[in-house]
Amino acid sequence: MEFPRPVELRTPRLVLRSWRPSDMGPFAALNADPEVMAHLPAPLDRAASDALAGRIRAAIERDGWGWWAVELASTGSFIGFTGLSRTTFEAAFTPAVEVGWRLARAAWGHGYATEAAGAAVGFGFEVLGLREIVSFTVPGNLPSRAVMERLGMTHDPREDFDHPRLPAGHALRRHVLYRLARPPAGPRPAGS
């Protein structure tokens, strides 16, 4: 499917865009924040954060979409990332495309994750033609699970899984899986 590359998405308050060199410092700061990283294996040092940003940028350059940098439309301030990614591990539900997000602590509690993820999901269904989008996290990550539910995603406890990238016995190995199917095409308005 053809679409402008790289893709930029806009919502009433946010811009989901390609990454810039000026994003590296604030991205490293959020990746080093123990509260932001509480449900991930460990905070990242600057080198690991920059390497992650490099992989994210490469995916966007290759596909035109991915984990977009998110900025506030009103100020241009970088607040984190949100977007879509192909899962890169094997599990019962893969291959799949995941919606995910990671925002700086100062951006929490404003509905930005839901707003940005909703735009990414819309792109996935309407432009990429995906039939389903998944998301997953550890059971205790209640804020992210709430975003998944606000997106209309559903959780079936029978599909919970052990993340294959984490060793047996790791406190964060168990994950919950949420799914969202593409809505059926509705009637088109007259004249469209």
Side-chain angles (χ1 to χ4, degrees):
M1 175 166 291
E2 289 300 315
F3 50 85
R5 291 175 183 243
V7 172
E8 183 174 284
L9 303 177
R10 292 182 174 268
T11 72
R13 301 181 296 164
L14 305 171
V15 179
L16 285 68
R17 57 163 173 77
S18 295
W19 290 66
R20 300 178 183 143
S22 60
D23 299 330
M24 297 303 100
F27 187 53
L30 77 88
N31 285 324
D33 184 330
E35 284 191 60
V36 171
M37 302 298 284
H39 301 291
L40 295 164
L44 303 179
D45 64 19
R46 179 64 188 253
S49 179
D50 287 353
L52 174 58
R55 291 189 301 274
I56 291 170
R57 282 196 325 259
I60 291 174
E61 288 170 10
R62 180 188 68 235
D63 299 329
W65 55 274
W67 299 127
W68 289 287
V70 178
E71 71 177 40
L72 295 177
S74 60
T75 65
S77 300
F78 172 90
I79 61 168
F81 73 76
T82 304
L84 303 171
S85 178
R86 292 180 183 92
T87 53
T88 57
F89 58 84
E90 289 187 26
F93 63 91
T94 63
V97 173
E98 167 196 8
V99 61
W101 47 88
R102 185 178 307 164
L103 300 181
R105 202 167 358 137
W108 295 359
H110 301 282
Y112 297 143
T114 304
E115 186 175 324
V121 164
F123 173 81
F125 288 146
E126 297 162 18
V127 178
L128 298 180
L130 300 173
R131 291 191 316 239
E132 179 182 67
I133 295 173
V134 302
S135 196
F136 44 86
T137 189
V138 297
N141 189 351
L142 300 181
S144 281
R145 292 181 72 173
V147 171
M148 295 170 195
E149 290 167 7
R150 283 192 293 274
L151 292 171
M153 304 185 99
T154 58
H155 169 239
D156 181 343
R158 296 172 297 185
E159 294 187 305
D160 292 352
F161 67 101
D162 291 333
H163 200 297
R165 294 233 170 97
L166 295 171
H170 193 287
L172 299 177
R173 188 162 197 229
R174 194 69 177 162
H175 276 59
V176 293
L177 176 70
Y178 282 74
R179 295 178 181 265
L180 182 64
R182 179 174 57 206
R188 293 189 171 257
S192 64

Short mmCIF file of all heavy atoms in Angstrom, two decimals, residues 129 159 175:
data_model
loop_
_atom_site.label_atom_id
_atom_site.label_comp_id
_atom_site.label_asym_id
_atom_site.label_seq_id
_atom_site.Cartn_x
_atom_site.Cartn_y
_atom_site.Cartn_z
N GLY A 129 -4.27 -1.40 6.56
CA GLY A 129 -5.22 -2.49 6.32
C GLY A 129 -5.06 -3.68 7.26
O GLY A 129 -5.44 -4.80 6.92
N GLU A 159 -4.89 -16.14 27.18
CA GLU A 159 -3.84 -15.80 26.22
C GLU A 159 -2.62 -15.16 26.87
O GLU A 159 -1.66 -14.81 26.18
CB GLU A 159 -4.38 -14.88 25.13
CG GLU A 159 -5.42 -15.54 24.26
CD GLU A 159 -5.81 -14.67 23.09
OE1 GLU A 159 -6.21 -13.50 23.32
OE2 GLU A 159 -5.70 -15.15 21.96
N HIS A 175 3.18 -11.79 30.96
CA HIS A 175 2.56 -10.67 30.26
C HIS A 175 1.09 -10.95 29.99
O HIS A 175 0.69 -12.11 29.81
CB HIS A 175 3.27 -10.41 28.93
CG HIS A 175 4.48 -9.55 29.04
ND1 HIS A 175 5.56 -9.87 29.82
CD2 HIS A 175 4.78 -8.35 28.48
CE1 HIS A 175 6.48 -8.91 29.73
NE2 HIS A 175 6.03 -7.98 28.92
#
